[in-house]
Every structure is written in structure tokens, then in C-alpha cells.
């Protein structure tokens, strides 16, 4: 069964500082990996996804993530954080075989606080 | 833009009541999902549907049922609400081919007293 671990429950950074949110996954085959963001009072929004190919993927809002198979990781990064990035971030892994196996497994989330 | 709407943002019900949570999407998506979100537990899949009248159990289906009579509408039913079903409920939809790219509604915060 697939699983996702986000080791950091809460991270605080200063505006303008760089950001890295950690994600480790467990899955038997090549995973489909995703980062979603949930702003306060909102539903989740897809930030970026990885299926195959280039291990560094770019997403919306200036975010990027790097897939490292040897470390089973898919960490999210941003070079300079803005106050509007304050939100909860969820890493997710999905099986890629379609059919009725449409399940995304989400991590427990990392809450990001941005100090002015 | 894809729009997923949920019938209520906040709902308060009594133990034992039958509760209906409604979700509507306007992008002709084949797939629809119901998740439950709890602090420290993340999102957990309750049920999903990949076609009208079709449904599949997720990770935590106990105490819930669903209905999908029309493509755009997916209902979550709590037959007899209990206090441990107090939670945030999120609906999502996606195309069949890009099932992983799910579009979420704003959520319904249900309190069962």
C-alpha cells in the first residue's frame, strides 16, 4: 500500500526567505507524486505533479519540487516566500494504473506560517 | 474555471439525524470524490465515483453512503450521524483521464452534537 510522510507539522519562515517542505513516500512502483496547497477557508489546489522524466518539476506560484528515487523523497521548494504563501501544504502519491484505482494518498500536511 | 460547490459551508446536526452533504461540479468531470479532513490526520478518502450510479469505497466508508444519480452531483449521506463524524468534508472532481488532478470544493464543516 502507498503512504506519504510529511515530517514537519508546522514550519515558520520569514518573508523573502527560502523554503523547503519535506515529503517521503512509500510505493512499490514508480509513483505519481503531487503537491497540493490549501489556503485558509479554501479547498485544495494542485501546485505541481511528477510522473516521469525530468526529476525537477515546476509548478504554479513559483514552486518547484525534486523527485529523488534513492531517497523516496519529493521535496517542495521556493526560493523566496511571500506572505500569501501562508497555507497548509499536502504531499500526495497516486497509483498510476488507472482503472478503478483512482486513489490519491495524502500526507498529514505541513502548515506554513510566514512572518513579515 | 472548474467550479466545485458544496451545499453548505457550516452545518450543525444532532446525534442520530440523517445528514445529506451535496456536491456539484460544472466541468462534466467523470470522477467525483468525498474526503474527510481532520487535524493531524490529513485527508482520507471516504468514497469515490467514476460514473453515474457507480461508487467505490475509499479508506473510511463506515458510517457513510453516497449517491450519484446525475453526472454533476455527488451526495454524501450520514445515515445516523454520530459525534465522531464531526469533521471537515471536502468534495473533489476530476476527469477520468487525469484522475489525479482533482479540483476541490471549499468544504463543509459538520458539527454533530
Amino acid at each position: 500500500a502507498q503512504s506519504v510522510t510529511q515530517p514537519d507539522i508546522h514550519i515558520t519562515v520569514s518573508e523573502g526567505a527560502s523554503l523547503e517542505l519535506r515529503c517521503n513516500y512509500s510505493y512499490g512502483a514508480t509513483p505519481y507524486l503531487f503537491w497540493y496547497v490549501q489556503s485558509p477557508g479554501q479547498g485544495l489546489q494542485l501546485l505541481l505533479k511528477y510522473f516521469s522524466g525530468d526529476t525537477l518539476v515546476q509548478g504554479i506560484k513559483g514552486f518547484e519540487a525534486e523527485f529523488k528515487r534513492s531517497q523516496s523523497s519529493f521535496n517542495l521548494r521556493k526560493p523566496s516566500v511571500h506572505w500569501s504563501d501562508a497555507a497548509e501544504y499536502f504531499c500526495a502519491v497516486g497509483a498510476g494504473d488507472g482503472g478503478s484505482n483512482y486513489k490519491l494518498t495524502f500526507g498529514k500536511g505541513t502548515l506554513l506560517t510566514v512572518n513579515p | 474555471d472548474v467550479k466545485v460547490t458544496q451545499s453548505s459551508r457550516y452545518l450543525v446536526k444532532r446525534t442520530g439525524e440523517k445528514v445529506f452533504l451535496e456536491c456539484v461540479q460544472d466541468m462534466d468531470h467523470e470522477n467525483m470524490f468525498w474526503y474527510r479532513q481532520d487535524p493531524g490526520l490529513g485527508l482520507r478518502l471516504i468514497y469515490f465515483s467514476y460514473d453515474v450510479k457507480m461508487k467505490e469505497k475509499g479508506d473510511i466508508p463506515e458510517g457513510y453512503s453516497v449517491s450519484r444519480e446525475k453526472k454533476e452531483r455527488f451526495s454524501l449521506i450520514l445515515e445516523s450521524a454520530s459525534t465522531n463524524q464531526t469533521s471537515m468534508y471536502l468534495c473533489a472532481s476530476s476527469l477520468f483521464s487525469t484522475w489525479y488532478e482533482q479540483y476541490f470544493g471549499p468544504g463543509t464543516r459538520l458539527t454533530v452534537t
Side-chain angles (χ1 to χ4, degrees):
Chain A
Q2 58 217 45
S3 67
V4 176
T5 301
Q6 293 181 246
D8 304 304
I9 296 172
H10 188 191
I11 284 182
T12 301
V13 299
S14 298
E15 191 168 16
S18 63
L19 172 69
E20 184 168 26
L21 302 183
R22 297 183 292 164
C23 172
N24 294 100
Y25 69 89
S26 173
Y27 184 62
T30 299
Y32 288 6
L33 294 162
F34 311 89
W35 276 99
Y36 279 79
V37 60
Q38 184 179 31
S39 298
Q42 305 293 320
L44 277 72
Q45 180 184 21
L46 180 65
L47 275 179
L48 47 75
K49 58 184 181 284
Y50 170 79
F51 294 151
S52 64
D54 193 347
T55 56
L56 186 65
V57 294
Q58 303 296 321
I60 62 172
K61 305 186 182 190
F63 285 91
E64 66 179 26
E66 187 171 12
F67 171 60
K68 292 186 177 180
R69 183 186 299 276
S70 61
Q71 298 176 19
S72 297
S73 69
F74 188 57
N75 294 347
L76 182 71
R77 300 195 295 245
K78 188 170 185 178
S80 178
V81 169
H82 188 261
W83 64 266
S84 60
D85 293 325
E88 191 159 19
Y89 292 80
F90 293 92
C91 182
V93 62
D97 55 359
S100 64
N101 191 8
Y102 296 143
K103 197 171 74 170
L104 282 177
T105 299
F106 287 86
K108 295 180 180 180
T110 298
L111 181 64
L112 174 65
T113 298
V114 180
N115 287 335
Chain B
D1 271 357
V2 176
K3 196 168 180 70
V4 179
T5 57
Q6 298 184 228
S7 50
S8 306
R9 291 301 299 271
Y10 300 93
L11 208 53
V12 180
K13 296 292 182 181
R14 294 194 181 277
T15 302
E17 279 193 83
K18 189 169 186 175
V19 181
F20 292 87
L21 302 182
E22 304 284 339
C23 176
V24 178
Q25 50 92 7
D26 66 357
M27 282 303 292
D28 204 34
H29 284 173
E30 294 88 358
N31 299 333
M32 296 190 75
F33 308 83
W34 275 107
Y35 291 92
R36 171 175 172 160
Q37 183 178 20
D38 299 289
L41 295 179
L43 277 76
R44 293 177 291 168
L45 182 65
I46 305 172
Y47 269 97
F48 68 95
S49 168
Y50 52 91
D51 201 354
V52 174
K53 297 191 184 297
M54 304 304 292
K55 60 185 178 184
E56 294 274 349
K57 292 181 180 179
D59 296 319
I60 51 165
E62 297 78 19
Y64 303 94
S65 62
V66 290
S67 173
R68 193 165 181 202
E69 297 295 320
K70 293 185 177 181
K71 190 175 185 180
E72 68 271 18
R73 188 179 297 270
F74 192 35
S75 302
L76 181 69
I77 303 156
L78 287 66
E79 294 289 341
S80 177
S82 64
T83 54
N84 63 12
Q85 293 179 308
T86 292
S87 186
M88 171 70 83
Y89 291 88
L90 293 171
C91 175
S93 71
S94 74
L95 289 170
F96 185 89
S97 57
T98 53
W99 55 271
Y100 45 81
E101 188 161 357
Q102 298 179 16
Y103 294 83
F104 284 80
T108 295
R109 185 165 294 283
L110 172 67
T111 301
V112 182
T113 62

